[in-house]
Amino acid sequence: GKDLYSGASTDPLCIAITTIPDAILEDDEQLTVLIHSQNAAFTISSEESFTNITIQDNDFIEVSFENSLYVTDESSSNVNVCIEMVDGELERDVVIELTTISLISDEPLDFELLLSKPITFVYGQSASGNNKQCLDIGIVNDNILEGNENFSLQITAADAKVAHVIRGNAIVNIIEDISDSVEIGLSDELFIVEENEAFDVCIEIFTG
């Protein structure tokens, strides 16, 4: 306790309460300030004998894709992508949302389409320790000869006040499976034409 009224003065007396910045993202904290007196000359109002104080947390974390480019084979079935906390410490959960974006208009796509998929950094994680959340994004091996394909990754914070995104975009490069091929050949084994007749020789795709 701290003595406020120890003399005859009737002027209000105030005491400074210092909050401690801790650089830890946490829930808001509450404290209660009570007053009491051992002097019978003082009568303390029951309604004004205490006050509740809320300390609003203003800390945040910083997150980023671990890499700006991920390379995977079409036959790999998935690509592992990690998001890392590059600054901060958690005493509460924080949700980051991931979206996959096609860079081509062709269908079908060779990757799993995700829209604002939640990825949760949890209590106890910190930039100096366990700082990553990873997930597998599905890759489709479609046996279609189409060349390499790229798609984009994007992360955003569900609450931008508590999570700042440093590197929010990355690219995944899918290397075409070399086993994807097509079989082609002439449409006919024998052509019989007149001497002065124009004709077409056609090449067909038989498989693939």
Side-chain angles (χ1 to χ4, degrees):
K2 182 175 179 65
D3 291 339
L4 294 181
Y5 286 97
S6 58
S9 173
T10 58
D11 294 334
L13 295 177
C14 301
I15 181 172
I17 299 175
T18 303
T19 59
I20 301 173
D22 55 14
I24 299 173
L25 179 58
E26 56 198 342
D27 292 326
D28 293 345
E29 298 179 54
Q30 286 76 38
L31 65 92
T32 300
V33 176
L34 301 170
I35 59 171
H36 66 90
S37 175
Q38 297 177 342
N39 189 331
F42 289 99
T43 301
I44 299 175
S45 167
S46 60
E47 294 182 356
E48 299 174 349
S49 64
F50 68 93
T51 184
N52 293 316
I53 299 173
T54 297
I55 303 174
Q56 294 183 323
D57 188 69
N58 60 1
D59 295 306
F60 57 87
I61 64 171
E62 294 181 343
V63 297
S64 172
F65 278 113
E66 183 180 29
N67 299 305
S68 59
L69 176 65
Y70 297 85
V71 180
T72 187
D73 293 328
E74 187 182 33
S75 59
S76 65
S77 76
N78 62 68
V79 57
N80 186 255
V81 172
C82 291
I83 301 163
E84 59 183 357
M85 188 192 312
V86 295
D87 190 33
E89 182 177 346
L90 287 178
E91 287 190 358
R92 53 165 288 191
D93 292 355
V94 172
V95 176
I96 304 299
E97 296 176 336
L98 183 141
T99 297
T100 56
I101 303 169
S102 176
L103 299 178
I104 61 173
S105 58
D106 296 344
E107 297 284 352
L109 300 175
D110 281 353
F111 61 91
E112 182 181 2
L113 195 60
L114 302 175
L115 180 60
S116 299
K117 180 178 177 61
I119 300 168
T120 304
F121 285 87
V122 299
Y123 186 108
Q125 288 192 272
S126 69
S128 60
N130 174 20
N131 71 329
K132 294 181 184 179
Q133 289 292 342
C134 302
L135 78 159
D136 290 331
I137 299 174
I139 301 297
V140 179
N141 191 355
D142 54 15
N143 297 317
I144 299 173
L145 185 62
E146 55 194 344
N148 297 344
E149 181 178 341
N150 293 334
F151 67 94
S152 175
L153 305 172
Q154 182 181 73
I155 54 172
T156 55
D159 184 348
K161 290 187 293 185
V162 300
H164 297 178
V165 177
I166 304 304
R167 180 166 58 201
N169 295 279
I171 296 293
V172 177
N173 178 222
I174 305 173
I175 304 299
E176 175 71 9
D177 189 347
I178 60 174
S179 66
D180 292 341
S181 61
V182 296
E183 182 181 356
I184 62 173
L186 295 172
S187 58
D188 295 288
E189 295 181 0
L190 177 64
F191 293 86
I192 300 176
V193 296
E194 297 292 336
E195 185 178 12
N196 61 347
E197 181 182 351
F199 63 96
D200 294 326
V201 175
C202 298
I203 300 172
E204 293 183 352
I205 297 177
F206 296 127
T207 60

